[in-house]
């Protein structure tokens, strides 16, 4: 990938820039629920927010409505924020983090965690029934040994046996605590690929530059990064004014069903709703995009639904077949799906629109035509369409903006001489941040209605009888939420809030400090989204300020080289050290922050 290729993050993996054009079929307009929400927040809170945050950041950081005010600067940037009261501690810790002695400790801390395999698998039975969960016990033993001050100072609660919640009490209980999340589990290593790794997947080997192994990047770097930072602060005798709570799930890679979901209940019953200042979890990092260094905290996640499409019709001997079997009918339904992809529409007031406005405002190598269209798009619908057309030449961008569909499972038939009485397929959708589960259901329901009629099928969609109640039908078509776990797109975290400016300023200060730079323009902070989901899917009620970002250095858009979810997963030690610095700066900055 070349230096100017932009990246969008899916669980720390970039969707690479692919310049081939895709054909588009104009369809129905999508509703803009997310836009309404954000516009509401922005409109009502903008002035207050600006006034509130003047002390912390300068005026440029007040986002304009983004909808129509073309004169306002797009993608205003916060200034770098460094600790003041704890400035000396921060400086001296920063120096210590640069020493060979600390590097050695950091390598050991992360390597040791990688050496405890904590793989999570799909469809595991609950804790206590499935013995595979017991793999997490040794990780807890390891953490206890590796971080003695944390375990003697913070209060640890084990939730559903393997979920870890650490509480570092602050001296001022009126201040909402900071919530830092990470996950203990890793995706399984395919045993057939073990000999293809440069170093064994659970070796935690350090080759002088990189730490190797499954989880070195996703997400033991986050887990150990947070703990390394806090252990170091404790060694210096730091006592927080604002509380810090750590939430470490143990099955994030398997949807967080037993981990984050239980932790969420625990935190809600202990602290209540909207009880945290902000929540920072894994997600985006920073890297080169269009010639600029861009940090991308994910402020939203796409929604999710798997739609099961099932056809039944009379069976019989295949020597006397009907014109269409259930498999033939299902095939036609699936062809119809693919011939009618969801329309993707770039709308003002959505995270992806803001991301592109940031690139237009701050990245030097955005092509002239695209930059011009984006700038004019603030006011002009025509320019917005032009910008969309340019951007969607990259199918990755298109996928991030719209609702996607992918037929991922199919099943039907038992024997070549028997007509199949039933056949089904499952269509996976990732729902656009400005759409909803209901909108996806309505879309699919309408999509198949014509064919249900043509094939004389009685049609039921998501529990509602659509057609066939009046006359006998030849067979049935049933579409449903395949596993009953549809997920709405995440609420969009505000970017005009002081909390976002605090995060942005922390990112800038960390980036500068790590490179000996000064100023506010060395790195640009641009909001992004996740196309997949993190443990934060269970944490929406805890705070509106959820940012998926751990300051991971993606360099020139080459997360893939780090082997996340595949062979050769590894992390550069320098990148890990910078993450530790980020968490330290964040803890100290939030400690001094007053909203
Ligand atoms: C893993 O890294 C080694 C070199 O260290 C390389 O030979 C091998 O091709 C890599 N495997 C993959 C799948 O990238
Ligand atoms: C639909 O199928 C039923 C049952 O085979 C049949 O009675 C009915 O006439 C068919 N309707 C049409 C419109 O073909
Ligand atoms: C991208 O590569 C260039 C040239 O090697 C380098 O100077 C720059 O620091 C890299 N960007 C990042 C974010 O690492």
């Amino acid at each position: 990938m070349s230096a100017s290729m932009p990246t969008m993050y899916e669980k720390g993996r970039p969707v690479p820039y692919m310049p081939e054009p895709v054909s588009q079929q104009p369809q129905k307009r999508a509703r803009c629920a997310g836009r309404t929400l954000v516009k509401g927040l922005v409109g009502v809170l903008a002035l207050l927010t600006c006034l509130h945050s003047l002390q912390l950041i300068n005026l440029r950081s007040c986002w304009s409505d983004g909808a129509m005010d073309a004169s306002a600067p797009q993608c205003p940037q916060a200034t770098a924020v460094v600790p003041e009261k704890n400035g000396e501690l921060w400086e001296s810790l920063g120096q210590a983090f640069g020493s060979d002695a600390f590097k050695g400790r950091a390598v050991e801390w992360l390597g040791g965690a990688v050496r405890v395999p904590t793989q999570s698998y799909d469809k595991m039975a609950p804790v206590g029934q499935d013995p595979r969960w017991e793999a997490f016990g040794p990780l807890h033993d390891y953490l206890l040994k590796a971080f003695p001050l944390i375990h003697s100072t913070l209060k640890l609660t084990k939730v559903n046996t393997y979920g870890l919640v650490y509480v570092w009490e602050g001296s001022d209980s009126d201040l909402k605590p900071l919530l830092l999340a990470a996950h203990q589990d890793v995706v399984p290593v395919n045993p057939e690929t073990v000999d293809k790794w440069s170093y064994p997947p659970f070796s935690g080997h350090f080759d002088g530059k990189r730490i190797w192994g499954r989880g070195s990047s996703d997400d033991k770097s986050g887990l150990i990064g947070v703990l390394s930072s806090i252990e170091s602060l404790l060694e210096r005798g730091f006592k927080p004014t604002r509380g810090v709570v750590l939430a470490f799930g143990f099955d994030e890679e398997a949807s967080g069903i037993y981990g984050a979901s239980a932790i969420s209940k625990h935190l809600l019953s202990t602290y209540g709703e909207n009880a945290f200042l902000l929540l920072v979890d894994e997600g985006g990092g920073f890297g080169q995009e269009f010639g600029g260094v861009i940090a991308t905290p994910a402020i939203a996640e796409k929604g999710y639904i798997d739609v099961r499409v099932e056809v039944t019709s009379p069976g019989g001997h295949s020597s006397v077949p009907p014109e269409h079997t259930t498999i033939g009918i299902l095939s036609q339904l699936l062809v119809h799906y693919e011939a009618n992809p969801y329309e993707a529409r770039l709308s003002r007031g959505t995270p992806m629109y803001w991301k592109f406005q940031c690139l237009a405002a701050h990245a030097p190598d955005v092509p002239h035509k695209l930059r011009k269209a984006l700038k004019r798009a603030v006011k002009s619908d025509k320019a917005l369409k032009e910008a969309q057309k340019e951007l969607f030449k990259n199918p990755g961008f298109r996928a991030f903006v719209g609702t996607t569909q992918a037929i991922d499972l199919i099943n039907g038939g038992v024997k070549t001489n028997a007509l199949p009485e039933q056949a089904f397929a499952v269509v996976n959708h990732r729902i656009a941040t400005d759409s909803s589960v209901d909108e996806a259901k309505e879309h699919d329901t309408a999509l198949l209605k014509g064919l249900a009629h043509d094939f004389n099928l009685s049609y039921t969609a998501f529990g509602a009888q659509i057609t066939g109640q009046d006359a006998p039908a030849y067979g049935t078509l049933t579409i449903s939420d395949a596993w009953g776990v549809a997920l709405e797109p995440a609420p969009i975290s505000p970017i005009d809030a002081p909390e976002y400016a605090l995060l942005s300023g922390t990112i800038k200060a960390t980036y500068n400090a790590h490179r000996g730079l000064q100023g506010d323009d060395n790195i640009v902070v641009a909001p992004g989204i996740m196309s997949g989901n993190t443990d934060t899917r269970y944490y929406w009620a805890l705070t509106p300020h959820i940012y998926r970002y751990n300051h991971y250095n993606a360099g020139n858009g080459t997360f893939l080289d780090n082997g996340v979810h595949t062979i050769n997963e590894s992390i550069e030690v320098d990148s890990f050290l910078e993450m530790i610095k980020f968490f330290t700066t964040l803890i100290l900055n939030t400690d001094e922050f007053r909203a």
Side-chain angles (χ1 to χ4, degrees), residues 23 25 27 302-309 331-344 395 398-409 425-432 439-448 462 479 531:
S23 68
Q25 283 184 302
Q27 284 170 44
K302 292 183 82 174
Y304 186 105
I305 186 172
D306 281 324
V307 175
R308 180 185 166 106
V309 181
S331 304
Q332 299 211 29
L333 296 172
L334 298 180
V335 167
H336 192 60
Y337 255 107
E338 294 206 336
N340 294 280
Y342 280 67
E343 182 197 19
R398 191 176 192 281
F400 264 78
V401 169
T403 297
T404 57
Q405 57 184 23
I407 304 161
D408 286 335
L409 279 179
V426 176
V427 185
N428 171 250
H429 295 297
R430 305 300 173 111
I431 303 167
E439 207 163 70
K441 286 180 175 175
E442 281 162 26
H443 175 279
D444 286 17
T445 302
L447 182 72
L448 301 185
F462 306 102
I479 68 173
S531 64

Side-chain angles (χ1 to χ4, degrees), residues 196 198 212 567-568:
K196 299 209 168 66
S198 299
W212 291 79
I567 297 162
N568 281 350

